Structures are given as C-alpha cells and as structure tokens.
Amino acid sequence: KEPISLIQFDAHTDTWAAGEGDEQSADENRIDHGTMFYQATKDGILDPKSSVQIGIRTENPDTMDFNILDAPWVHENGIDAVIRETKRIVGSKPVYMTFDIDCLDPSYAPGTGTPVCGGLSSHQAMSIIRGLTGINLIGLDLVEVSPAYDVGEITALAGAHIAMEMISVFAAKPEFK
C-alpha cells in the first residue's frame, strides 16, 4: 500500500526518534505526541516528500524530508501562498490532516500543554484550511486542547471552529479515483 501525505498544523514537528529528549525512556518503540510522525514515516505510512508541516516554531535538525512552512514563513508569505504551496506539494494524493492547537499563538489558544509564542492567528488557520478545499482528504483530527489551561474557553472555541473548517473540507471532497 502506498504511503499517504500529511498536512500537519503544529508548533512542533513531532518527528523525534524514540528516546530523544527523554531521559526516562530508552524504549525504541515508544510512540507519543512527539514521536508519532517519525515512527509513521519509518513504518512507510507517511510520505514526507508529499507532506507539509505548517506553523512550526521549534527546532528539530532532522526534517526527515518533510516540507516545512514554519510560522515566520506563513507570516511573511501570507495565507494564499500557504494554500498554493500546500496544494502543490500534496497534489491529489490521499492526505490526512492534523491540527495541534499549539499551532495557534498562545494569545489565541492558551489552553494547551506546550504553548510556543509566534504562532498563527485563528483567522490565518481557518482561512488556510478553508482554502484547502478540493484536496483528497481521507481523515483528520484536532489535538492537545487542554481545558485545565484554557482561559475563558477561548482555546475550546478556536478548536471547535477549526474542527468545523476541517470537517467542511472533508465534506466538500471531490471524488478521487
């Protein structure tokens, strides 16, 4: 079976090898919120060359050949450029979209466990997702909303609206052969 593409909105690449940055775990089969895309790529599930990571703001020297449109690139080049480049990279391949709420700047989503300043605004994220209508979206998720850290439920509100945009892209999916 052919590997799928990934569109990942996140502050972090989540491509750390098992055991990296974690003195408590020498488990080479560890899969968690920081290693899952490393493992999925190594297992042949993801094709990093036809995948895009959007909003990244932390450093991981091994990109594993993922295409990275980091937050400074998004801010400098704008929403339309992100949409064009993402569609160019994924083409018509089956794609899974994941949105980690820490892709948003903490001023828009403080309710997460690993906030990083300099992220996308809610407007940028929803506009980019809406602009991806027409891709071959086969699945999606939204992760890491943490109500215990939320202020005035603004993270939950942002997450709900982003999830709605993602579901709308899925619902509008054209038939791919």
Side-chain angles (χ1 to χ4, degrees), residues 89-110:
I89 292 166
V90 301
S92 63
K93 286 190 72 160
V95 62
Y96 188 90
M97 186 185 303
T98 182
F99 197 102
D100 185 322
I101 202 68
D102 69 24
C103 180
L104 299 181
D105 187 84
S107 62
Y108 296 92

mmCIF file of all heavy atoms in Angstrom, residues 89-110:
data_model
loop_
_atom_site.group_PDB
_atom_site.id
_atom_site.type_symbol
_atom_site.label_atom_id
_atom_site.label_comp_id
_atom_site.label_asym_id
_atom_site.label_seq_id
_atom_site.Cartn_x
_atom_site.Cartn_y
_atom_site.Cartn_z
ATOM 1 N N ILE A 89 2.244 20.618 -3.104
ATOM 2 C CA ILE A 89 3.013 19.530 -2.502
ATOM 3 C C ILE A 89 2.187 18.256 -2.380
ATOM 4 O O ILE A 89 2.651 17.174 -2.728
ATOM 5 C CB ILE A 89 3.575 19.954 -1.130
ATOM 6 C CG1 ILE A 89 4.655 21.038 -1.320
ATOM 7 C CG2 ILE A 89 4.140 18.759 -0.358
ATOM 8 C CD1 ILE A 89 5.049 21.766 -0.043
ATOM 9 N N VAL A 90 0.951 18.353 -1.904
ATOM 10 C CA VAL A 90 0.153 17.127 -1.695
ATOM 11 C C VAL A 90 -0.520 16.644 -2.970
ATOM 12 O O VAL A 90 -0.821 15.458 -3.099
ATOM 13 C CB VAL A 90 -0.890 17.279 -0.556
ATOM 14 C CG1 VAL A 90 -0.210 17.624 0.754
ATOM 15 C CG2 VAL A 90 -1.971 18.262 -0.875
ATOM 16 N N GLY A 91 -0.766 17.545 -3.912
ATOM 17 C CA GLY A 91 -1.396 17.139 -5.166
ATOM 18 C C GLY A 91 -2.711 16.420 -4.925
ATOM 19 O O GLY A 91 -3.522 16.839 -4.112
ATOM 20 N N SER A 92 -2.895 15.304 -5.615
ATOM 21 C CA SER A 92 -4.141 14.536 -5.473
ATOM 22 C C SER A 92 -3.959 13.297 -4.591
ATOM 23 O O SER A 92 -4.856 12.469 -4.495
ATOM 24 C CB SER A 92 -4.662 14.118 -6.850
ATOM 25 O OG SER A 92 -3.728 13.259 -7.474
ATOM 26 N N LYS A 93 -2.810 13.188 -3.936
ATOM 27 C CA LYS A 93 -2.569 12.030 -3.066
ATOM 28 C C LYS A 93 -3.537 12.015 -1.888
ATOM 29 O O LYS A 93 -3.960 13.075 -1.420
ATOM 30 C CB LYS A 93 -1.134 12.090 -2.511
ATOM 31 C CG LYS A 93 -0.074 11.736 -3.535
ATOM 32 C CD LYS A 93 1.265 11.573 -2.871
ATOM 33 C CE LYS A 93 1.240 10.288 -2.078
ATOM 34 N NZ LYS A 93 2.540 9.748 -1.747
ATOM 35 N N PRO A 94 -3.870 10.843 -1.374
ATOM 36 C CA PRO A 94 -4.661 10.781 -0.137
ATOM 37 C C PRO A 94 -3.892 11.479 0.987
ATOM 38 O O PRO A 94 -2.693 11.249 1.152
ATOM 39 C CB PRO A 94 -4.787 9.278 0.143
ATOM 40 C CG PRO A 94 -4.506 8.618 -1.165
ATOM 41 C CD PRO A 94 -3.563 9.518 -1.897
ATOM 42 N N VAL A 95 -4.589 12.333 1.734
ATOM 43 C CA VAL A 95 -3.919 13.133 2.756
ATOM 44 C C VAL A 95 -4.697 13.105 4.069
ATOM 45 O O VAL A 95 -5.927 13.148 4.079
ATOM 46 C CB VAL A 95 -3.699 14.587 2.268
ATOM 47 C CG1 VAL A 95 -4.999 15.290 1.980
ATOM 48 C CG2 VAL A 95 -2.863 15.394 3.236
ATOM 49 N N TYR A 96 -3.951 12.997 5.147
ATOM 50 C CA TYR A 96 -4.505 13.086 6.495
ATOM 51 C C TYR A 96 -4.131 14.460 7.036
ATOM 52 O O TYR A 96 -2.986 14.883 6.909
ATOM 53 C CB TYR A 96 -3.912 11.991 7.393
ATOM 54 C CG TYR A 96 -4.580 11.911 8.742
ATOM 55 C CD1 TYR A 96 -5.687 11.095 8.933
ATOM 56 C CD2 TYR A 96 -4.126 12.657 9.819
ATOM 57 C CE1 TYR A 96 -6.323 11.019 10.165
ATOM 58 C CE2 TYR A 96 -4.755 12.597 11.046
ATOM 59 C CZ TYR A 96 -5.851 11.781 11.217
ATOM 60 O OH TYR A 96 -6.483 11.720 12.434
ATOM 61 N N MET A 97 -5.092 15.174 7.617
ATOM 62 C CA MET A 97 -4.843 16.499 8.173
ATOM 63 C C MET A 97 -4.944 16.440 9.690
ATOM 64 O O MET A 97 -5.928 15.927 10.225
ATOM 65 C CB MET A 97 -5.849 17.521 7.634
ATOM 66 C CG MET A 97 -5.540 18.954 8.074
ATOM 67 S SD MET A 97 -6.809 20.167 7.571
ATOM 68 C CE MET A 97 -6.869 19.949 5.810
ATOM 69 N N THR A 98 -3.912 16.943 10.355
ATOM 70 C CA THR A 98 -3.929 17.007 11.809
ATOM 71 C C THR A 98 -3.661 18.440 12.248
ATOM 72 O O THR A 98 -2.821 19.128 11.658
ATOM 73 C CB THR A 98 -2.912 16.034 12.440
ATOM 74 O OG1 THR A 98 -3.008 16.119 13.868
ATOM 75 C CG2 THR A 98 -1.488 16.327 12.007
ATOM 76 N N PHE A 99 -4.401 18.880 13.238
ATOM 77 C CA PHE A 99 -4.225 20.236 13.765
ATOM 78 C C PHE A 99 -3.955 20.138 15.257
ATOM 79 O O PHE A 99 -4.823 19.763 16.033
ATOM 80 C CB PHE A 99 -5.471 21.096 13.522
ATOM 81 C CG PHE A 99 -5.200 22.564 13.674
ATOM 82 C CD1 PHE A 99 -5.040 23.375 12.566
ATOM 83 C CD2 PHE A 99 -5.076 23.138 14.938
ATOM 84 C CE1 PHE A 99 -4.764 24.726 12.704
ATOM 85 C CE2 PHE A 99 -4.805 24.487 15.092
ATOM 86 C CZ PHE A 99 -4.645 25.283 13.973
ATOM 87 N N ASP A 100 -2.727 20.451 15.647
ATOM 88 C CA ASP A 100 -2.382 20.575 17.058
ATOM 89 C C ASP A 100 -2.669 22.027 17.433
ATOM 90 O O ASP A 100 -2.148 22.945 16.799
ATOM 91 C CB ASP A 100 -0.910 20.242 17.266
ATOM 92 C CG ASP A 100 -0.497 20.223 18.723
ATOM 93 O OD1 ASP A 100 -0.995 21.073 19.494
ATOM 94 O OD2 ASP A 100 0.336 19.385 19.096
ATOM 95 N N ILE A 101 -3.489 22.238 18.450
ATOM 96 C CA ILE A 101 -3.933 23.584 18.801
ATOM 97 C C ILE A 101 -2.765 24.513 19.124
ATOM 98 O O ILE A 101 -2.902 25.731 19.009
ATOM 99 C CB ILE A 101 -4.983 23.542 19.947
ATOM 100 C CG1 ILE A 101 -5.850 24.804 19.961
ATOM 101 C CG2 ILE A 101 -4.315 23.290 21.284
ATOM 102 C CD1 ILE A 101 -6.780 24.948 18.781
ATOM 103 N N ASP A 102 -1.592 23.956 19.463
ATOM 104 C CA ASP A 102 -0.457 24.850 19.722
ATOM 105 C C ASP A 102 0.139 25.442 18.455
ATOM 106 O O ASP A 102 1.072 26.246 18.513
ATOM 107 C CB ASP A 102 0.603 24.192 20.608
ATOM 108 C CG ASP A 102 1.361 23.048 19.960
ATOM 109 O OD1 ASP A 102 1.455 22.974 18.725
ATOM 110 O OD2 ASP A 102 1.885 22.208 20.725
ATOM 111 N N CYS A 103 -0.423 25.102 17.290
ATOM 112 C CA CYS A 103 -0.073 25.822 16.061
ATOM 113 C C CYS A 103 -0.464 27.285 16.200
ATOM 114 O O CYS A 103 0.209 28.171 15.691
ATOM 115 C CB CYS A 103 -0.768 25.192 14.858
ATOM 116 S SG CYS A 103 -0.400 26.025 13.293
ATOM 117 N N LEU A 104 -1.566 27.514 16.908
ATOM 118 C CA LEU A 104 -2.009 28.885 17.148
ATOM 119 C C LEU A 104 -1.110 29.544 18.184
ATOM 120 O O LEU A 104 -0.611 28.890 19.104
ATOM 121 C CB LEU A 104 -3.454 28.913 17.643
ATOM 122 C CG LEU A 104 -4.522 28.348 16.711
ATOM 123 C CD1 LEU A 104 -5.899 28.489 17.364
ATOM 124 C CD2 LEU A 104 -4.491 29.005 15.359
ATOM 125 N N ASP A 105 -0.933 30.840 18.049
ATOM 126 C CA ASP A 105 -0.214 31.604 19.060
ATOM 127 C C ASP A 105 -0.956 31.471 20.393
ATOM 128 O O ASP A 105 -2.196 31.400 20.405
ATOM 129 C CB ASP A 105 -0.154 33.072 18.628
ATOM 130 C CG ASP A 105 0.729 33.873 19.550
ATOM 131 O OD1 ASP A 105 1.949 33.866 19.334
ATOM 132 O OD2 ASP A 105 0.185 34.488 20.505
ATOM 133 N N PRO A 106 -0.244 31.420 21.519
ATOM 134 C CA PRO A 106 -0.918 31.285 22.817
ATOM 135 C C PRO A 106 -1.937 32.385 23.115
ATOM 136 O O PRO A 106 -2.843 32.177 23.923
ATOM 137 C CB PRO A 106 0.228 31.313 23.830
ATOM 138 C CG PRO A 106 1.425 30.897 23.068
ATOM 139 C CD PRO A 106 1.207 31.374 21.655
ATOM 140 N N SER A 107 -1.831 33.528 22.453
ATOM 141 C CA SER A 107 -2.837 34.574 22.653
ATOM 142 C C SER A 107 -4.188 34.156 22.085
ATOM 143 O O SER A 107 -5.224 34.673 22.505
ATOM 144 C CB SER A 107 -2.384 35.900 22.025
ATOM 145 O OG SER A 107 -2.217 35.765 20.631
ATOM 146 N N TYR A 108 -4.199 33.191 21.146
ATOM 147 C CA TYR A 108 -5.427 32.661 20.562
ATOM 148 C C TYR A 108 -5.813 31.315 21.160
ATOM 149 O O TYR A 108 -6.960 30.893 21.024
ATOM 150 C CB TYR A 108 -5.286 32.489 19.044
ATOM 151 C CG TYR A 108 -5.092 33.786 18.322
ATOM 152 C CD1 TYR A 108 -3.814 34.271 18.055
ATOM 153 C CD2 TYR A 108 -6.185 34.545 17.919
ATOM 154 C CE1 TYR A 108 -3.634 35.472 17.402
ATOM 155 C CE2 TYR A 108 -6.013 35.750 17.270
ATOM 156 C CZ TYR A 108 -4.731 36.215 17.013
ATOM 157 O OH TYR A 108 -4.551 37.404 16.381
ATOM 158 N N ALA A 109 -4.840 30.628 21.766
ATOM 159 C CA ALA A 109 -5.090 29.288 22.304
ATOM 160 C C ALA A 109 -4.149 29.014 23.481
ATOM 161 O O ALA A 109 -3.179 28.261 23.344
ATOM 162 C CB ALA A 109 -4.915 28.236 21.211
ATOM 163 N N PRO A 110 -4.426 29.612 24.630
ATOM 164 C CA PRO A 110 -3.559 29.362 25.792
ATOM 165 C C PRO A 110 -3.762 27.988 26.408
ATOM 166 O O PRO A 110 -2.900 27.495 27.131
ATOM 167 C CB PRO A 110 -3.960 30.466 26.765
ATOM 168 C CG PRO A 110 -5.386 30.765 26.416
ATOM 169 C CD PRO A 110 -5.477 30.580 24.928
#
